[in-house]
PDB file of all heavy atoms in Angstrom:
ATOM      1  N   PRO A1317      -1.357 -10.962   6.162  1.00 96.00           N
ATOM      2  CA  PRO A1317      -0.902 -12.355   6.047  1.00 96.00           C
ATOM      3  C   PRO A1317      -1.574 -13.029   4.851  1.00 96.00           C
ATOM      4  O   PRO A1317      -2.772 -12.878   4.625  1.00 96.00           O
ATOM      5  CB  PRO A1317      -1.385 -12.982   7.369  1.00 96.00           C
ATOM      6  CG  PRO A1317      -1.471 -11.822   8.316  1.00 96.00           C
ATOM      7  CD  PRO A1317      -1.909 -10.653   7.488  1.00 96.00           C
ATOM      8  N   GLY A1318      -0.789 -13.738   4.077  1.00 96.00           N
ATOM      9  CA  GLY A1318      -1.294 -14.342   2.854  1.00 96.00           C
ATOM     10  C   GLY A1318      -1.222 -13.412   1.664  1.00 96.00           C
ATOM     11  O   GLY A1318      -1.541 -13.809   0.537  1.00 96.00           O
ATOM     12  N   GLY A1319      -0.800 -12.172   1.910  1.00 97.00           N
ATOM     13  CA  GLY A1319      -0.711 -11.192   0.829  1.00 97.00           C
ATOM     14  C   GLY A1319       0.483 -11.428  -0.067  1.00 97.00           C
ATOM     15  O   GLY A1319       1.456 -12.090   0.302  1.00 97.00           O
ATOM     16  N   ARG A1320       0.396 -10.883  -1.283  1.00 98.00           N
ATOM     17  CA  ARG A1320       1.451 -11.062  -2.282  1.00 98.00           C
ATOM     18  C   ARG A1320       2.173  -9.728  -2.517  1.00 98.00           C
ATOM     19  O   ARG A1320       1.522  -8.689  -2.679  1.00 98.00           O
ATOM     20  CB  ARG A1320       0.865 -11.534  -3.622  1.00 98.00           C
ATOM     21  CG  ARG A1320       0.292 -12.937  -3.611  1.00 98.00           C
ATOM     22  CD  ARG A1320      -1.095 -13.003  -3.040  1.00 98.00           C
ATOM     23  NE  ARG A1320      -2.070 -12.263  -3.846  1.00 98.00           N
ATOM     24  CZ  ARG A1320      -3.266 -11.896  -3.390  1.00 98.00           C
ATOM     25  NH1 ARG A1320      -3.638 -12.162  -2.142  1.00 98.00           N
ATOM     26  NH2 ARG A1320      -4.105 -11.245  -4.179  1.00 98.00           N
ATOM     27  N   LEU A1321       3.489  -9.778  -2.539  1.00 98.00           N
ATOM     28  CA  LEU A1321       4.296  -8.615  -2.913  1.00 98.00           C
ATOM     29  C   LEU A1321       5.074  -8.966  -4.169  1.00 98.00           C
ATOM     30  O   LEU A1321       5.769  -9.978  -4.214  1.00 98.00           O
ATOM     31  CB  LEU A1321       5.241  -8.213  -1.788  1.00 98.00           C
ATOM     32  CG  LEU A1321       6.003  -6.890  -1.974  1.00 98.00           C
ATOM     33  CD1 LEU A1321       6.311  -6.252  -0.624  1.00 98.00           C
ATOM     34  CD2 LEU A1321       7.305  -7.059  -2.759  1.00 98.00           C
ATOM     35  N   VAL A1322       4.922  -8.115  -5.201  1.00 98.00           N
ATOM     36  CA  VAL A1322       5.644  -8.303  -6.457  1.00 98.00           C
ATOM     37  C   VAL A1322       6.406  -7.014  -6.737  1.00 98.00           C
ATOM     38  O   VAL A1322       5.830  -5.916  -6.686  1.00 98.00           O
ATOM     39  CB  VAL A1322       4.681  -8.609  -7.627  1.00 98.00           C
ATOM     40  CG1 VAL A1322       5.464  -8.742  -8.938  1.00 98.00           C
ATOM     41  CG2 VAL A1322       3.886  -9.877  -7.345  1.00 98.00           C
ATOM     42  N   ALA A1323       7.693  -7.142  -7.017  1.00 98.00           N
ATOM     43  CA  ALA A1323       8.519  -5.975  -7.336  1.00 98.00           C
ATOM     44  C   ALA A1323       9.301  -6.254  -8.604  1.00 98.00           C
ATOM     45  O   ALA A1323       9.870  -7.338  -8.771  1.00 98.00           O
ATOM     46  CB  ALA A1323       9.467  -5.658  -6.182  1.00 98.00           C
ATOM     47  N   ASN A1324       9.327  -5.266  -9.503  1.00 97.00           N
ATOM     48  CA  ASN A1324      10.058  -5.385 -10.768  1.00 97.00           C
ATOM     49  C   ASN A1324      11.253  -4.444 -10.774  1.00 97.00           C
ATOM     50  O   ASN A1324      11.161  -3.308 -10.276  1.00 97.00           O
ATOM     51  CB  ASN A1324       9.148  -5.054 -11.957  1.00 97.00           C
ATOM     52  CG  ASN A1324       8.101  -6.119 -12.201  1.00 97.00           C
ATOM     53  OD1 ASN A1324       8.106  -7.170 -11.571  1.00 97.00           O
ATOM     54  ND2 ASN A1324       7.191  -5.853 -13.123  1.00 97.00           N
ATOM     55  N   ALA A1325      12.344  -4.900 -11.346  1.00 96.00           N
ATOM     56  CA  ALA A1325      13.569  -4.091 -11.427  1.00 96.00           C
ATOM     57  C   ALA A1325      14.127  -4.147 -12.838  1.00 96.00           C
ATOM     58  O   ALA A1325      14.162  -5.222 -13.449  1.00 96.00           O
ATOM     59  CB  ALA A1325      14.604  -4.606 -10.426  1.00 96.00           C
ATOM     60  N   VAL A1326      14.568  -2.988 -13.346  1.00 95.00           N
ATOM     61  CA  VAL A1326      15.190  -2.946 -14.676  1.00 95.00           C
ATOM     62  C   VAL A1326      16.609  -2.394 -14.625  1.00 95.00           C
ATOM     63  O   VAL A1326      17.338  -2.487 -15.615  1.00 95.00           O
ATOM     64  CB  VAL A1326      14.339  -2.102 -15.653  1.00 95.00           C
ATOM     65  CG1 VAL A1326      13.001  -2.765 -15.903  1.00 95.00           C
ATOM     66  CG2 VAL A1326      14.149  -0.682 -15.151  1.00 95.00           C
ATOM     67  N   THR A1327      17.025  -1.836 -13.483  1.00 95.00           N
ATOM     68  CA  THR A1327      18.388  -1.319 -13.361  1.00 95.00           C
ATOM     69  C   THR A1327      19.214  -2.252 -12.479  1.00 95.00           C
ATOM     70  O   THR A1327      18.675  -3.051 -11.695  1.00 95.00           O
ATOM     71  CB  THR A1327      18.394   0.097 -12.751  1.00 95.00           C
ATOM     72  OG1 THR A1327      17.926   0.022 -11.385  1.00 95.00           O
ATOM     73  CG2 THR A1327      17.482   1.037 -13.540  1.00 95.00           C
ATOM     74  N   ILE A1328      20.520  -2.125 -12.577  1.00 95.00           N
ATOM     75  CA  ILE A1328      21.413  -2.949 -11.758  1.00 95.00           C
ATOM     76  C   ILE A1328      21.193  -2.641 -10.283  1.00 95.00           C
ATOM     77  O   ILE A1328      21.167  -3.539  -9.437  1.00 95.00           O
ATOM     78  CB  ILE A1328      22.878  -2.699 -12.163  1.00 95.00           C
ATOM     79  CG1 ILE A1328      23.119  -3.223 -13.580  1.00 95.00           C
ATOM     80  CG2 ILE A1328      23.829  -3.359 -11.167  1.00 95.00           C
ATOM     81  CD1 ILE A1328      24.492  -2.900 -14.121  1.00 95.00           C
ATOM     82  N   GLU A1329      20.997  -1.356  -9.982  1.00 95.00           N
ATOM     83  CA  GLU A1329      20.823  -0.956  -8.583  1.00 95.00           C
ATOM     84  C   GLU A1329      19.537  -1.542  -7.993  1.00 95.00           C
ATOM     85  O   GLU A1329      19.533  -2.068  -6.872  1.00 95.00           O
ATOM     86  CB  GLU A1329      20.808   0.574  -8.470  1.00 95.00           C
ATOM     87  CG  GLU A1329      22.140   1.242  -8.758  1.00 95.00           C
ATOM     88  CD  GLU A1329      22.434   1.383 -10.249  1.00 95.00           C
ATOM     89  OE1 GLU A1329      21.541   1.031 -11.078  1.00 95.00           O
ATOM     90  OE2 GLU A1329      23.528   1.842 -10.588  1.00 95.00           O
ATOM     91  N   SER A1330      18.439  -1.448  -8.744  1.00 96.00           N
ATOM     92  CA  SER A1330      17.172  -1.976  -8.221  1.00 96.00           C
ATOM     93  C   SER A1330      17.201  -3.503  -8.166  1.00 96.00           C
ATOM     94  O   SER A1330      16.628  -4.120  -7.261  1.00 96.00           O
ATOM     95  CB  SER A1330      15.989  -1.482  -9.067  1.00 96.00           C
ATOM     96  OG  SER A1330      16.142  -1.842 -10.428  1.00 96.00           O
ATOM     97  N   GLU A1331      17.914  -4.122  -9.112  1.00 96.00           N
ATOM     98  CA  GLU A1331      18.054  -5.582  -9.092  1.00 96.00           C
ATOM     99  C   GLU A1331      18.818  -6.035  -7.848  1.00 96.00           C
ATOM    100  O   GLU A1331      18.480  -7.049  -7.224  1.00 96.00           O
ATOM    101  CB  GLU A1331      18.774  -6.037 -10.354  1.00 96.00           C
ATOM    102  CG  GLU A1331      18.786  -7.529 -10.560  1.00 96.00           C
ATOM    103  CD  GLU A1331      19.440  -7.900 -11.882  1.00 96.00           C
ATOM    104  OE1 GLU A1331      20.683  -7.770 -11.970  1.00 96.00           O
ATOM    105  OE2 GLU A1331      18.714  -8.298 -12.818  1.00 96.00           O
ATOM    106  N   ALA A1332      19.820  -5.253  -7.462  1.00 96.00           N
ATOM    107  CA  ALA A1332      20.584  -5.589  -6.261  1.00 96.00           C
ATOM    108  C   ALA A1332      19.706  -5.505  -5.010  1.00 96.00           C
ATOM    109  O   ALA A1332      19.823  -6.330  -4.100  1.00 96.00           O
ATOM    110  CB  ALA A1332      21.782  -4.641  -6.127  1.00 96.00           C
ATOM    111  N   VAL A1333      18.815  -4.511  -4.972  1.00 96.00           N
ATOM    112  CA  VAL A1333      17.886  -4.388  -3.837  1.00 96.00           C
ATOM    113  C   VAL A1333      17.008  -5.634  -3.736  1.00 96.00           C
ATOM    114  O   VAL A1333      16.814  -6.195  -2.650  1.00 96.00           O
ATOM    115  CB  VAL A1333      17.022  -3.123  -3.987  1.00 96.00           C
ATOM    116  CG1 VAL A1333      15.916  -3.110  -2.925  1.00 96.00           C
ATOM    117  CG2 VAL A1333      17.879  -1.871  -3.868  1.00 96.00           C
ATOM    118  N   LEU A1334      16.478  -6.081  -4.866  1.00 97.00           N
ATOM    119  CA  LEU A1334      15.624  -7.261  -4.845  1.00 97.00           C
ATOM    120  C   LEU A1334      16.392  -8.502  -4.415  1.00 97.00           C
ATOM    121  O   LEU A1334      15.852  -9.365  -3.708  1.00 97.00           O
ATOM    122  CB  LEU A1334      14.997  -7.489  -6.222  1.00 97.00           C
ATOM    123  CG  LEU A1334      14.057  -6.400  -6.746  1.00 97.00           C
ATOM    124  CD1 LEU A1334      13.326  -6.900  -7.984  1.00 97.00           C
ATOM    125  CD2 LEU A1334      13.073  -5.963  -5.687  1.00 97.00           C
ATOM    126  N   GLY A1335      17.651  -8.597  -4.827  1.00 96.00           N
ATOM    127  CA  GLY A1335      18.467  -9.741  -4.432  1.00 96.00           C
ATOM    128  C   GLY A1335      18.654  -9.793  -2.920  1.00 96.00           C
ATOM    129  O   GLY A1335      18.572 -10.869  -2.318  1.00 96.00           O
ATOM    130  N   ARG A1336      18.875  -8.629  -2.323  1.00 97.00           N
ATOM    131  CA  ARG A1336      19.061  -8.594  -0.869  1.00 97.00           C
ATOM    132  C   ARG A1336      17.764  -8.986  -0.139  1.00 97.00           C
ATOM    133  O   ARG A1336      17.798  -9.743   0.834  1.00 97.00           O
ATOM    134  CB  ARG A1336      19.506  -7.204  -0.427  1.00 97.00           C
ATOM    135  CG  ARG A1336      20.924  -6.838  -0.856  1.00 97.00           C
ATOM    136  CD  ARG A1336      21.451  -5.656  -0.075  1.00 97.00           C
ATOM    137  NE  ARG A1336      20.651  -4.449  -0.276  1.00 97.00           N
ATOM    138  CZ  ARG A1336      20.843  -3.564  -1.245  1.00 97.00           C
ATOM    139  NH1 ARG A1336      21.815  -3.765  -2.133  1.00 97.00           N
ATOM    140  NH2 ARG A1336      20.085  -2.490  -1.335  1.00 97.00           N
ATOM    141  N   TRP A1337      16.639  -8.489  -0.620  1.00 97.00           N
ATOM    142  CA  TRP A1337      15.379  -8.805   0.036  1.00 97.00           C
ATOM    143  C   TRP A1337      14.981 -10.274  -0.157  1.00 97.00           C
ATOM    144  O   TRP A1337      14.424 -10.897   0.735  1.00 97.00           O
ATOM    145  CB  TRP A1337      14.268  -7.886  -0.483  1.00 97.00           C
ATOM    146  CG  TRP A1337      14.270  -6.562   0.207  1.00 97.00           C
ATOM    147  CD1 TRP A1337      14.695  -5.365  -0.277  1.00 97.00           C
ATOM    148  CD2 TRP A1337      13.850  -6.312   1.557  1.00 97.00           C
ATOM    149  NE1 TRP A1337      14.568  -4.376   0.667  1.00 97.00           N
ATOM    150  CE2 TRP A1337      14.045  -4.927   1.805  1.00 97.00           C
ATOM    151  CE3 TRP A1337      13.332  -7.096   2.566  1.00 97.00           C
ATOM    152  CZ2 TRP A1337      13.733  -4.340   3.031  1.00 97.00           C
ATOM    153  CZ3 TRP A1337      13.017  -6.518   3.788  1.00 97.00           C
ATOM    154  CH2 TRP A1337      13.219  -5.153   4.007  1.00 97.00           C
ATOM    155  N   GLN A1338      15.303 -10.812  -1.306  1.00 97.00           N
ATOM    156  CA  GLN A1338      14.992 -12.230  -1.522  1.00 97.00           C
ATOM    157  C   GLN A1338      15.822 -13.099  -0.581  1.00 97.00           C
ATOM    158  O   GLN A1338      15.326 -14.107  -0.054  1.00 97.00           O
ATOM    159  CB  GLN A1338      15.264 -12.600  -2.986  1.00 97.00           C
ATOM    160  CG  GLN A1338      14.699 -13.949  -3.407  1.00 97.00           C
ATOM    161  CD  GLN A1338      15.644 -15.109  -3.098  1.00 97.00           C
ATOM    162  OE1 GLN A1338      16.857 -14.889  -2.925  1.00 97.00           O
ATOM    163  NE2 GLN A1338      15.106 -16.319  -3.018  1.00 97.00           N
ATOM    164  N   ALA A1339      17.051 -12.701  -0.330  1.00 97.00           N
ATOM    165  CA  ALA A1339      17.899 -13.458   0.592  1.00 97.00           C
ATOM    166  C   ALA A1339      17.339 -13.401   2.016  1.00 97.00           C
ATOM    167  O   ALA A1339      17.476 -14.360   2.777  1.00 97.00           O
ATOM    168  CB  ALA A1339      19.320 -12.899   0.564  1.00 97.00           C
ATOM    169  N   GLU A1340      16.683 -12.295   2.359  1.00 96.00           N
ATOM    170  CA  GLU A1340      16.158 -12.133   3.718  1.00 96.00           C
ATOM    171  C   GLU A1340      14.775 -12.757   3.903  1.00 96.00           C
ATOM    172  O   GLU A1340      14.501 -13.402   4.909  1.00 96.00           O
ATOM    173  CB  GLU A1340      16.097 -10.652   4.082  1.00 96.00           C
ATOM    174  CG  GLU A1340      15.561 -10.391   5.483  1.00 96.00           C
ATOM    175  CD  GLU A1340      15.645  -8.922   5.871  1.00 96.00           C
ATOM    176  OE1 GLU A1340      16.430  -8.187   5.249  1.00 96.00           O
ATOM    177  OE2 GLU A1340      14.909  -8.515   6.802  1.00 96.00           O
ATOM    178  N   LEU A1341      13.889 -12.557   2.905  1.00 97.00           N
ATOM    179  CA  LEU A1341      12.488 -12.966   3.062  1.00 97.00           C
ATOM    180  C   LEU A1341      12.095 -14.184   2.232  1.00 97.00           C
ATOM    181  O   LEU A1341      11.008 -14.732   2.409  1.00 97.00           O
ATOM    182  CB  LEU A1341      11.556 -11.795   2.698  1.00 97.00           C
ATOM    183  CG  LEU A1341      11.657 -10.547   3.572  1.00 97.00           C
ATOM    184  CD1 LEU A1341      10.738  -9.461   3.030  1.00 97.00           C
ATOM    185  CD2 LEU A1341      11.321 -10.853   5.024  1.00 97.00           C
ATOM    186  N   GLY A1342      12.959 -14.589   1.316  1.00 97.00           N
ATOM    187  CA  GLY A1342      12.613 -15.701   0.446  1.00 97.00           C
ATOM    188  C   GLY A1342      11.792 -15.248  -0.744  1.00 97.00           C
ATOM    189  O   GLY A1342      11.841 -14.095  -1.163  1.00 97.00           O
ATOM    190  N   GLY A1343      11.038 -16.155  -1.309  1.00 97.00           N
ATOM    191  CA  GLY A1343      10.271 -15.839  -2.506  1.00 97.00           C
ATOM    192  C   GLY A1343      11.009 -16.235  -3.769  1.00 97.00           C
ATOM    193  O   GLY A1343      12.101 -16.825  -3.736  1.00 97.00           O
ATOM    194  N   ASP A1344      10.412 -15.911  -4.902  1.00 96.00           N
ATOM    195  CA  ASP A1344      10.963 -16.295  -6.202  1.00 96.00           C
ATOM    196  C   ASP A1344      11.594 -15.101  -6.894  1.00 96.00           C
ATOM    197  O   ASP A1344      11.042 -13.993  -6.888  1.00 96.00           O
ATOM    198  CB  ASP A1344       9.855 -16.836  -7.115  1.00 96.00           C
ATOM    199  CG  ASP A1344       9.162 -18.055  -6.529  1.00 96.00           C
ATOM    200  OD1 ASP A1344       9.827 -18.807  -5.793  1.00 96.00           O
ATOM    201  OD2 ASP A1344       7.965 -18.229  -6.805  1.00 96.00           O
ATOM    202  N   LEU A1345      12.718 -15.333  -7.525  1.00 97.00           N
ATOM    203  CA  LEU A1345      13.329 -14.361  -8.433  1.00 97.00           C
ATOM    204  C   LEU A1345      13.228 -14.908  -9.849  1.00 97.00           C
ATOM    205  O   LEU A1345      13.595 -16.053 -10.107  1.00 97.00           O
ATOM    206  CB  LEU A1345      14.794 -14.108  -8.080  1.00 97.00           C
ATOM    207  CG  LEU A1345      15.075 -13.131  -6.930  1.00 97.00           C
ATOM    208  CD1 LEU A1345      16.570 -13.084  -6.642  1.00 97.00           C
ATOM    209  CD2 LEU A1345      14.563 -11.725  -7.259  1.00 97.00           C
ATOM    210  N   THR A1346      12.711 -14.083 -10.752  1.00 97.00           N
ATOM    211  CA  THR A1346      12.553 -14.503 -12.144  1.00 97.00           C
ATOM    212  C   THR A1346      13.109 -13.411 -13.044  1.00 97.00           C
ATOM    213  O   THR A1346      12.894 -12.215 -12.800  1.00 97.00           O
ATOM    214  CB  THR A1346      11.062 -14.729 -12.491  1.00 97.00           C
ATOM    215  OG1 THR A1346      10.508 -15.671 -11.579  1.00 97.00           O
ATOM    216  CG2 THR A1346      10.903 -15.226 -13.916  1.00 97.00           C
ATOM    217  N   ARG A1347      13.804 -13.818 -14.077  1.00 97.00           N
ATOM    218  CA  ARG A1347      14.298 -12.843 -15.054  1.00 97.00           C
ATOM    219  C   ARG A1347      13.429 -12.969 -16.311  1.00 97.00           C
ATOM    220  O   ARG A1347      13.304 -14.050 -16.901  1.00 97.00           O
ATOM    221  CB  ARG A1347      15.758 -13.101 -15.405  1.00 97.00           C
ATOM    222  CG  ARG A1347      16.413 -11.983 -16.212  1.00 97.00           C
ATOM    223  CD  ARG A1347      17.919 -12.195 -16.221  1.00 97.00           C
ATOM    224  NE  ARG A1347      18.627 -11.188 -16.981  1.00 97.00           N
ATOM    225  CZ  ARG A1347      18.962  -9.971 -16.506  1.00 97.00           C
ATOM    226  NH1 ARG A1347      18.622  -9.646 -15.282  1.00 97.00           N
ATOM    227  NH2 ARG A1347      19.628  -9.119 -17.253  1.00 97.00           N
ATOM    228  N   ILE A1348      12.810 -11.872 -16.700  1.00 97.00           N
ATOM    229  CA  ILE A1348      11.889 -11.860 -17.829  1.00 97.00           C
ATOM    230  C   ILE A1348      12.557 -11.139 -18.996  1.00 97.00           C
ATOM    231  O   ILE A1348      12.926  -9.966 -18.883  1.00 97.00           O
ATOM    232  CB  ILE A1348      10.574 -11.137 -17.459  1.00 97.00           C
ATOM    233  CG1 ILE A1348       9.940 -11.794 -16.219  1.00 97.00           C
ATOM    234  CG2 ILE A1348       9.607 -11.146 -18.624  1.00 97.00           C
ATOM    235  CD1 ILE A1348       8.803 -10.982 -15.627  1.00 97.00           C
TER     236      ILE A1348
END
């Protein structure tokens, strides 16, 4: 609890995974 999870994606497939998880758990999505 209180821990941070950071995940980076460079492919369309991995980006889609992050989008689904952000919809479920919240958090920030940033495009760098």
Side-chain angles (χ1 to χ4, degrees):
R1320 292 81 64 197
L1321 188 151
V1322 178
N1324 289 354
V1326 294
T1327 66
I1328 293 174
E1329 291 80 5
S1330 57
E1331 189 176 72
V1333 171
L1334 297 191
R1336 290 196 299 272
W1337 278 105
Q1338 193 274 339
E1340 180 174 340
L1341 297 177
D1344 300 330
L1345 279 175
T1346 304
R1347 191 167 179 82
I1348 304 169

